[in-house]
Amino acid sequence: MTRYLVTSALPYANGPIHFGHVAGVYLPADVYVRTLRMMGEEVLSICGTDEYGVAITLKADQEGTPYPEYVKRWNHEIHSFFDRLHIEFDTFSGTSRCPQHEGTAQDFFRHLGANGYLDKQETTQLYCETDEMFLADRYVGGTCYVCGCEKARGDECPDCGTWIDPLRLIAPVCKQCGNTPVHRTTRHWYLNLPKLRDEHIGAWINDHEWKPNVRAFIQNLLKDVPSRSVTRDLKWGVPVPEDLAEGEEGKRLYVWFDAPIGYISFTKELMAQRGTPDEWQRWWQDPETRLVHFLGKDNIPFHCLVFPSMLWGTQQNYILPWQVPANEFYNLEAGKFSTSEGRTLDLDAFFAKYDPEAVRFYILTTLPETSDSTFSLEQMVLTINSGLAGNLGNLATRVLKFLAKNFDGIIPPIAPEHLDEMDHLMLGDCGEIGDPGIHVREFRFRQAAATLLANSSVGNVFMQRTEPWALRKTDPERAASALNTLCEWIRWVAQWMAPFLPQKAQELWEMLGCQGQVAQEPWPGIPQKGAWRRLEAGARLGTPEALFPRVEGGE
């Protein structure tokens, strides 16, 4: 039976995350997982923090904080941010805290070496004489030798996407002290990506079905695939296995190499916690599993080329990615979100003013699915006031408050002679009804959110056409039938809402007097005449409250 293993790119435990990360990776992953579960699929959602690398050691040293304590703090901060937006995972671990991670990463190193995919080379690297250390790629800055971008890093150019050879950077500098590094010789192990490409991964990539923006990115990468170093001279990271180090000291697995292995080690950790330690193999080595990587476009090379090469190169029957729904960049109005450059939001003040679920929904409507998109406070306020308060909230509160005031807070009956008329009106004449879940499964989250709002609008149109507040005086039986139909529609809306607005959907579910968790209900699909009604006339409703209060302008 097909199952879905969903991973979200590991956030780096070296600072806060922002809405750019949320939109690019974590929110669409959460909606996808929630939708699949309601559809009855077996799903596992894996995430955690990437906790090794020079960037962490430098910041921790500056603070005078021990490395484990430093990454623990950021793991907690990042996880707390996800909690604010009701983004959930089956496990949220970390590469330095997961008991299974070091052994799993070292096993990858062993298998890749034994299978002939690791080469040891003497190499020249940039060394900072001031800081007395070899410089990891991300702590080298300079000008790109391909496009001239002056903000190139030692691993990648943010403008043209070139994988940078740091030794070729124009005017390189140490990002820590600002001095010019020198060249020094050292020895390291390299992953032979050209060999892995030629033996299998190149053909697999060409034959695989990808999102158009992902395919275009990968095709450029395949033209010139370099071997990549898998070790570094570091003091914080997974050590090269002692029996394979050949006397070399201070060699650690490079953070880009061990980080994606965290998906596997975190799965092992979770299954051990559940008391089924061997169960991880069913998720990672069974061809019935569909592996889905959610990530931003800057991670496409690692998840579509490098990590699949590592998985296949171990020859341990690991599955390869089924889908990589990578998104483009999500920008703030003034430019890219950047914590280091001050282009971000004061989250405590922000969430004191705006409901996290409303923010969550706005982000979904502006996801950078095929091109870069922008977070706008003005547009967010418009979405909250028009789409949520004026559409979803309006439907729920007008109907349920009217029933509380005029029908003793119970679901009125529908007269048999009105059944066909009401069904025809709601399901046929008040607007097109779509299934948001179909769009979610195809990674079209913006369209899914739009479909949810369109479905809610159908209920508002029905209410305007039937005018139950007027019918109550002239034809109370027909008014009751219309209100009964509206309650049924609101139940469907609550179920459609569950993956997008999980807390608000549950609140609406309880306002209808429904029991249990709406997220545990089956996915509703599209209502069919004669088979869509579930509520019992006479059942008591809950207390109606405003789901989405209107908010002031985005100052």
Side-chain angles (χ1 to χ4, degrees):
M1 176 180 175
T2 301
R3 67 191 70 85
Y4 293 82
L5 175 59
V6 178
T7 73
S8 298
L10 306 188
Y12 199 44
N14 196 38
I17 61 171
H18 48 63
F19 288 148
H21 302 120
V22 168
V25 181
Y26 307 104
L27 183 52
D30 183 71
V31 172
Y32 185 73
V33 168
R34 290 177 184 272
T35 303
L36 289 186
R37 286 203 170 119
M38 290 184 73
M39 290 180 170
E41 302 285 7
E42 186 180 12
V43 191
L44 196 66
S45 177
I46 302 294
C47 194
T49 43
D50 176 3
E51 298 178 347
Y52 288 125
V54 167
I56 284 171
T57 62
L58 290 171
K59 287 290 186 67
D61 286 343
Q62 289 172 4
E63 289 186 5
T65 304
Y67 304 146
E69 182 180 325
Y70 180 85
V71 297
K72 180 180 180 180
R73 183 180 85 225
W74 283 116
N75 175 281
H76 174 75
E77 289 290 330
I78 292 168
H79 200 187
S80 296
F81 181 65
F82 290 142
D83 287 342
R84 273 179 154 176
L85 287 168
H86 309 136
I87 294 172
E88 299 178 349
F89 309 96
D90 288 299
T91 186
F92 190 84
S93 189
T95 53
S96 72
R97 79 196 55 238
C98 172
Q100 290 80 7
H101 184 67
E102 180 175 303
T104 303
Q106 290 178 335
D107 282 346
F108 263 73
F109 187 86
R110 291 180 188 280
H111 290 304
L112 288 167
N115 295 334
Y117 298 119
L118 292 183
D119 303 316
K120 194 172 185 182
Q121 301 176 21
E122 187 171 276
T123 179
T124 300
Q125 292 188 352
L126 294 177
Y127 182 88
C128 180
E129 294 179 314
T130 303
D131 295 319
E132 297 182 338
M133 61 188 298
F134 284 98
L135 296 179
D137 295 342
R138 290 218 171 194
Y139 266 70
V140 180
T143 300
C144 176
Y145 48 83
V146 175
C147 71
C149 171
E150 295 180 353
K151 294 184 178 181
R153 299 191 306 257
D155 61 345
E156 185 180 15
C157 175
D159 277 8
C160 68
T162 297
W163 282 4
I164 292 292
D165 176 355
L167 297 176
R168 295 177 60 194
L169 276 174
I170 301 169
V173 295
C174 170
K175 286 188 175 181
Q176 181 64 11
C177 66
N179 290 330
T180 301
V182 299
H183 292 190
R184 278 202 184 175
T185 300
T186 185
R187 292 198 299 172
H188 284 290
W189 285 264
Y190 283 72
L191 179 65
N192 194 332
L193 283 173
K195 183 177 180 182
L196 286 158
R197 175 199 60 189
D198 295 343
E199 289 188 4
H200 181 75
I201 295 300
W204 170 77
I205 286 174
N206 286 323
D207 292 342
H208 202 66
E209 183 176 343
W210 306 97
K211 279 182 64 178
N213 63 320
V214 175
R215 173 167 289 281
F217 205 111
I218 301 172
Q219 290 301 322
N220 289 333
L221 289 176
L222 284 177
K223 296 175 183 176
D224 183 20
V225 178
S227 291
R228 289 186 68 94
S229 172
V230 301
T231 60
R232 274 291 187 266
D233 296 286
L234 302 170
K235 52 186 175 181
W236 173 245
V238 175
V240 170
E242 187 175 349
D243 58 313
L244 300 179
E246 300 176 3
E248 298 277 2
E249 296 183 358
K251 303 297 183 185
R252 306 273 178 169
L253 299 184
Y254 201 3
V255 64
W256 72 258
F257 179 82
D258 90 273
I261 297 170
Y263 301 137
I264 301 169
S265 58
F266 298 168
T267 307
K268 289 182 178 180
E269 181 185 25
L270 176 63
M271 296 308 158
Q273 292 169 349
R274 291 180 175 180
T276 56
D278 295 333
E279 184 73 2
W280 74 270
Q281 295 172 336
R282 190 169 71 95
W283 288 98
W284 280 99
Q285 295 176 328
D286 185 333
E288 288 296 308
T289 300
R290 291 179 171 179
L291 175 59
V292 183
H293 290 309
F294 279 86
L295 46 95
K297 67 178 178 182
D298 52 337
N299 267 320
I300 289 174
F302 296 99
H303 289 75
C304 294
L305 172 60
V306 181
F307 190 44
S309 296
M310 293 162 57
L311 290 167
W312 184 80
T314 64
Q315 299 296 299
Q316 296 298 299
N317 298 316
Y318 282 112
I319 57 171
L320 299 183
W322 175 66
Q323 288 290 339
V324 181
N327 283 324
E328 303 294 300
F329 289 139
Y330 194 60
N331 301 321
L332 194 57
E333 288 165 300
K336 290 183 179 179
F337 277 98
S338 173
T339 303
S340 61
E341 298 182 19
R343 287 194 300 273
T344 184
L345 300 169
D346 181 336
L347 294 179
D348 288 332
F350 186 82
F351 284 120
K353 185 174 183 179
Y354 302 110
D355 186 291
E357 293 250 318
V359 175
R360 176 185 166 106
F361 189 79
Y362 167 71
I363 293 174
L364 283 169
T365 67
T366 55
L367 289 183
E369 292 174 343
T370 57
S371 62
D372 292 356
S373 60
T374 300
F375 178 94
S376 162
L377 277 174
E378 182 180 352
Q379 288 301 313
M380 186 189 75
V381 168
L382 181 63
T383 297
I384 293 173
N385 290 339
S386 177
L388 295 180
N391 184 343
L392 278 169
N394 177 68
L395 174 65
T397 54
R398 286 186 70 188
V399 172
L400 299 179
K401 286 186 176 182
F402 187 80
L403 288 169
K405 182 178 179 180
N406 299 289
F407 286 81
D408 297 322
I410 63 171
I411 298 173
I414 182 168
E417 62 270 24
H418 297 153
L419 193 60
D420 284 346
E421 174 194 351
M422 295 294 167
D423 279 3
H424 182 77
L425 182 60
M426 180 68 86
L427 304 183
D429 288 353
C430 290
E432 185 176 349
I433 301 166
D435 184 351
I438 291 175
H439 300 300
V440 169
R441 294 198 77 136
E442 295 174 350
F443 310 110
R444 297 198 304 266
F445 299 95
R446 295 174 68 155
Q447 184 60 44
T451 301
L452 168 62
L453 291 180
N455 288 352
S456 176
S457 293
V458 168
N460 281 306
V461 171
F462 178 92
M463 183 163 50
Q464 290 301 118
R465 290 192 181 181
T466 56
E467 298 185 327
W469 56 88
L471 284 176
R472 188 176 69 86
K473 299 176 182 179
T474 60
D475 191 344
E477 189 175 62
R478 186 178 295 277
S481 294
L483 289 163
N484 174 285
T485 301
L486 281 164
C487 285
E488 293 282 4
W489 192 251
I490 292 171
R491 181 184 68 83
W492 279 73
V493 170
Q495 288 180 252
W496 282 319
M497 284 172 61
F500 307 92
L501 298 148
Q503 189 175 77
K504 296 297 184 181
Q506 183 61 30
E507 290 176 15
L508 183 56
W509 190 249
E510 293 172 5
M511 288 183 208
L512 284 167
C514 297
Q515 302 299 308
Q517 297 294 311
V518 64
Q520 295 178 2
E521 293 291 311
W523 182 253
I526 296 178
Q528 301 296 322
K529 185 177 179 181
W532 73 286
R533 296 175 180 269
R534 294 287 185 274
L535 296 176
E536 182 180 347
R540 183 152 297 278
L541 297 166
T543 303
E545 302 286 350
L547 276 177
F548 302 102
R550 293 179 64 85
V551 296
E552 297 301 320
E555 295 295 331

